[in-house]
Amino acid sequence: CKVAKASYDESQKREIVLQAALQHPGIVNIRDVVYEPPPGGGAAQVGGNIFILMELVPGGELFKLVAKEKGM
C-alpha cells in the first residue's frame, strides 16, 4: 500500500499506515490512500480530503447484518 505525500495530521497518517500494514482474514485491507488538497490551496493549508480505497467485502453492509441478527 502506498500513502500519497500530503499535508495532513501526522496522527492520521500514522493511523492509516498502521491499518494498511495489518494483514488478517478478519480485517478489511487498505489498497491505496490518496490525499486531495483543499481547493485553491497548497498542501500547507488545513483541509482537503483523504480517500481510502479498501478491498471489496461481499455480503452487504455489516450494520444491516448486525441489526438483522439483533447484535449477534
Side-chain angles (χ1 to χ4, degrees):
C1 173
K2 66 176 182 173
V3 177
K5 291 184 181 178
S7 176
Y8 50 94
D9 187 277
E10 283 301 315
S11 65
Q12 290 172 320
K13 185 176 181 180
R14 186 172 47 252
E15 186 72 25
I16 291 168
V17 169
L18 289 172
Q19 176 68 31
L22 295 174
Q23 299 294 316
H24 186 276
I27 298 175
V28 179
N29 293 318
I30 292 178
R31 299 292 186 202
D32 200 2
V33 179
V34 177
Y35 174 75
E36 176 185 71
Q45 284 190 322
V46 175
N49 297 302
I50 300 172
F51 298 95
I52 301 174
L53 177 65
M54 303 176 91
E55 70 178 319
L56 175 64
V57 179
E61 294 181 36
L62 179 60
F63 178 80
K64 288 181 181 179
L65 176 63
V66 172
K68 181 180 175 183
E69 299 295 325
K70 297 179 178 58
M72 289 200 242

